[in-house]
């Protein structure tokens, strides 16, 4: 149910089970991890400079495929800790800019896949939230962190207690994701932004990704962040991409970055 297409410097990873709203099981997550590994190898080979994650059909991902499990056989901890969490770490550490185009249902595991993506664009009418109160479970896949960090504890618990869903437009207004666009324009919009990143200075973009991650995860203060910028800029200042960018500026033309 996972397809990988690499073309023009962009790896497009597609959840392709629209008949079940791209709900995932262990096999699907393993296939997703394999797709990211293959795309990461493409970064090293110079054939991939950005990645787009999307879902086929009317939903991005409705979460875990609950229809394929039984209460007696299910081990939620094993599913999350042994399969999903390593995948999310792999996704978050991808060595090039990552983008997601999310339409329709973005629930549970689907929400986690978005959390592990650098830039998320959602359809204005997407459905995002925590329906776990109807299952006797709790929000997982990083949802507690996302809702509390971005929305505050009161709004986070409101969504978890009630199971109410947010639209994509409301989620962006609340600071969960980057931008909301009409559903009909979502994929083209996302591909355009990914193409722009793919043509950019890869080493510089990855350096920003790493520093933003440290600011978020290590709670860096202003002066620690500035030191991180200074250190990275010192490295980038001797790169071929900087040489090309400076030459293009002086010659009043578009730069042609090579990722070096």
């Amino acid at each position: 149910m996972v397809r990988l297409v690499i073309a023009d410097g962009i790896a497009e990873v597609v959840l392709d089970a629209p008949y079940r709203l791209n709900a995932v099981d262990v096999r699907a997550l393993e296939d997703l991890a394999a797709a990211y590994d293959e795309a990461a190898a493409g970064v090293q080979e110079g054939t991939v400079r950005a990645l787009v994650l999307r879902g086929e059909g009317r939903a991005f991902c409705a979460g875990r495929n609950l229809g394929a499990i039984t209460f007696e056989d299910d081990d939620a901890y094993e599913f999350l800790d042994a399969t999903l969490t390593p995948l999310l770490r792999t996704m978050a550490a991808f060595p090039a800019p990552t983008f997601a185009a999310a339409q329709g249902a973005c629930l549970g595991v689907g929400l986690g896949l978005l959390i592990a993506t650098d830039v998320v664009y959602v359809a204005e009418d997407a459905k995002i939230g925590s329906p776990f109160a109807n299952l006797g479970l709790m929000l997982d896949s990083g949802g507690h962190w996302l809702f509390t960090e971005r929305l505050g504890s009161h709004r986070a618990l409101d969504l978890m207690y009630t199971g109410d869903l947010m639209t994509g437009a409301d989620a962006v207004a609340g600071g969960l994701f980057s931008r909301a666009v009409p559903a009909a324009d979502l994929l083209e919009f996302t591909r355009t932004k990914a193409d722009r990143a793919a043509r950019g200075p890869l080493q510089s973009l990855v350096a920003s990704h790493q520093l933003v991650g440290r600011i978020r995860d290590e709670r860096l203060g202003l002066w620690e962040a500035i030191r991180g910028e200074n250190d990275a800029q010192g490295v980038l200042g001797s790169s071929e991409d900087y040489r090309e960018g400076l030459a293009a500026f002086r010659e009043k033309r578009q730069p042609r970055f090579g990722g070096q």
Side-chain angles (χ1 to χ4, degrees):
M1 68 161 286
V2 176
R3 290 189 285 113
L4 171 65
V5 179
I6 297 176
D8 300 324
I10 299 175
E12 191 161 293
V13 179
V14 185
L15 301 175
D16 192 10
Y19 55 90
R20 65 181 190 220
L21 302 182
N22 296 315
V24 296
D25 53 18
V26 170
R27 175 63 183 275
L29 296 183
E30 291 173 344
D31 289 348
L32 194 54
Y36 270 75
D37 287 342
E38 184 176 344
V43 176
Q44 300 305 315
E45 296 165 0
T47 59
V48 173
R49 296 173 60 86
L51 180 147
V52 171
L53 173 65
R54 68 178 182 89
E56 197 67 71
R58 59 191 179 93
F60 171 69
C61 176
R64 189 179 179 190
N65 183 18
L66 296 176
I69 63 177
T70 64
F71 177 81
E72 291 75 16
D73 295 334
D74 185 35
D75 186 337
Y77 177 84
E78 181 72 11
F79 175 80
L80 294 171
D81 200 63
T83 305
L84 178 61
T85 300
L87 168 63
L88 297 181
R89 288 185 179 276
T90 294
M91 293 174 61
F94 190 78
T98 61
F99 298 80
Q103 79 284 2
C106 309
L107 308 173
V109 175
L111 186 62
L113 300 180
L114 298 181
I115 296 171
T117 303
D118 295 340
V119 179
V120 177
Y121 302 130
V122 295
E124 292 172 338
D125 59 355
K127 299 299 182 184
I128 298 162
S130 171
F132 288 83
N134 297 322
L135 294 170
L137 294 171
M138 65 185 294
L139 179 61
D140 54 37
S141 310
H144 278 76
W145 175 87
L146 178 70
F147 284 1
T148 304
E149 180 78 8
R150 307 282 173 81
L151 302 175
S153 61
H154 292 281
R155 182 66 173 135
L157 289 173
D158 179 7
L159 292 170
M160 293 173 198
Y161 288 172
T162 64
D164 290 345
L165 302 181
M166 307 175 72
T167 65
D170 287 341
V172 169
L176 289 184
F177 301 121
S178 182
R179 304 190 213 187
V181 298
D185 302 329
L186 177 64
L187 185 53
E188 181 180 359
F189 181 88
T190 305
R191 285 171 170 166
T192 298
K193 298 302 183 183
D195 181 70
R196 181 184 299 180
R199 297 176 187 275
L202 181 58
Q203 187 177 355
S204 169
L205 302 184
V206 170
S208 288
H209 171 271
Q210 293 172 341
L211 183 55
V212 167
R214 291 186 59 209
I215 292 171
R216 178 194 63 215
D217 298 338
E218 301 174 24
R219 300 292 183 178
L220 298 187
L222 172 62
W223 304 112
E224 293 171 306
I226 287 176
R227 172 53 62 88
E229 292 170 341
N230 295 349
D231 291 343
Q233 205 76 303
V235 174
L236 296 170
S238 61
S239 69
E240 287 302 315
D241 273 352
Y242 176 55
R243 186 190 300 275
E244 165 61 15
L246 194 58
F249 174 80
R250 291 172 173 169
E251 297 166 14
K252 296 181 172 56
R253 60 173 174 81
Q254 289 296 314
R256 296 180 292 273
F257 294 118
Q260 303 299 319

